[in-house]
Amino acid sequence: MRFDIITVVPELLESPLSHSIMQRAKDRGLLEVYVHDLREFGIGKHRQVDDYQFGGGAGMVMKPEPLAGCIESLLQKRSYDAVIYTTPDGQRLEQGICNHLSLKNNILIICGHYKGIDDRIRQKYVTMEISIGDYVLSGGELAAAVLVDAIGRLIPGVLNDETSALFDSFQDDLLAPPVYTRPANWEGMEVPEILLSGHEKNIGEWRYEQSVERTRQRRPDIWEKHQKT
Ligand code: 6GU
């Protein structure tokens, strides 16, 4: 699976996607991430990528020509299954969207910055607009990193234990159960005995009950959705 990411701050995307599971996925050839510096397509001596907004108002807007130049240069080489714009006014990211996108081959992500991108770029090129939650970030780069991580880890072979993504919180509309490791007694606090019993079936049932209880208490909204399906 290949991601191309267009940004004015490439540095923000390097580190988050170059360690741990994402780096291993790249090393294994399962994931490719190419970050494109929009400034290379900037206008004039100063490689301008933003400008004042028509109609007045504070904040700069990303100009259409550099974005179109960068996007067109990528489209010459391949087509994309999705052209995603990261923006607070997009569709809120959920596990289901990640599952869906993990089946694609080529995804192009455009990171918004400043007040956002000229709306004509959205109209002409963007097929999906995604927000990672109801709060405002100073740019779409961290959201793009979140997207690549959340999607990339679902590619078969990326996670060590291939089944483990299936047990994630949200994957079946339930939060994950609590987990413990050694020592069994830490500062007088004991690990639930059932986990030491070796009884796989009982442990499975206990984990499910814990998941249900956590979901009811912490996320009644998810619990309601779970009961409907
Ligand atoms: Cl995708 N971008 C920005 N700038 N802020 C956000 C966001 C995206 N998602 C949540 N907040």
Side-chain angles (χ1 to χ4, degrees):
M1 183 170 195
R2 173 180 175 129
F3 286 91
D4 287 281
I5 308 176
I6 301 174
T7 171
V8 285
V9 202
E11 298 82 3
L12 280 176
L13 282 153
E14 296 300 343
S15 176
L17 302 174
S18 300
H19 299 282
S20 181
I21 291 170
M22 291 302 113
Q23 185 56 47
R24 209 177 58 223
K26 289 186 192 168
D27 293 342
R28 289 183 182 168
L30 300 169
L31 174 68
E32 292 174 278
V33 182
Y34 297 92
V35 178
H36 306 279
D37 187 350
L38 184 63
R39 205 158 285 278
E40 287 172 20
F41 294 84
I43 298 170
K45 190 172 78 194
H46 297 291
R47 304 247 161 240
Q48 188 183 359
V49 293
D50 61 342
D51 213 331
Y52 296 100
Q53 60 174 311
F54 279 124
M60 305 293 270
V61 174
M62 287 166 74
K63 293 173 78 62
E65 306 96 314
L67 282 165
C70 187
I71 295 167
E72 288 291 350
S73 79
L74 290 167
L75 285 174
Q76 273 182 11
K77 292 168 208 137
R78 73 195 64 77
S79 60
Y80 289 90
D81 303 300
V83 179
I84 299 173
Y85 172 48
T86 53
T87 175
D89 64 1
Q91 173 184 18
R92 194 161 49 187
L93 186 63
E94 288 178 357
Q95 189 61 44
I97 300 173
C98 299
N99 294 351
H100 170 74
L101 290 173
S102 73
L103 304 173
K104 307 296 187 191
N105 293 315
N106 295 309
I107 294 179
L108 175 57
I109 304 177
I110 302 165
C111 300
H113 222 84
Y114 316 113
K115 277 276 159 190
I117 66 177
D118 189 289
D119 209 74
R120 289 166 291 187
I121 292 294
R122 296 168 77 154
Q123 294 166 31
K124 180 158 182 191
Y125 295 107
V126 172
T127 63
M128 227 177 157
E129 304 188 320
I130 288 183
S131 158
I132 63 164
D134 291 341
Y135 42 82
V136 180
L137 301 168
S138 44
E141 285 76 14
L142 297 181
V146 165
L147 260 178
V148 174
D149 187 298
I151 296 166
R153 64 191 289 285
L154 298 172
I155 301 169
V158 167
L159 292 185
N160 258 341
D161 180 355
E162 270 211 46
T163 62
S164 68
L166 297 175
F167 296 117
D168 288 342
S169 284
F170 296 108
Q171 203 50 275
D172 47 9
D173 294 330
L174 284 177
L175 301 183
V179 293
Y180 300 87
T181 185
R182 291 183 291 183
N185 181 321
W186 174 70
E187 298 193 350
M189 299 169 79
E190 300 274 5
V191 168
E193 209 174 306
I194 189 153
L195 296 176
L196 311 175
S197 70
H199 198 305
E200 224 169 286
K201 184 165 167 286
N202 290 356
I203 291 171
E205 282 168 10
W206 180 86
R207 285 187 171 145
Y208 179 72
E209 286 160 18
Q210 292 285 317
S211 283
V212 165
E213 203 40 49
R214 285 205 160 184
T215 309
R216 286 166 68 156
Q217 281 179 6
R218 296 174 185 208
R219 294 295 300 272
D221 55 320
I222 296 178
W223 176 241
E224 211 157 285
K225 199 163 106 193
H226 175 79
Q227 282 182 304
K228 280 188 199 133
T229 55

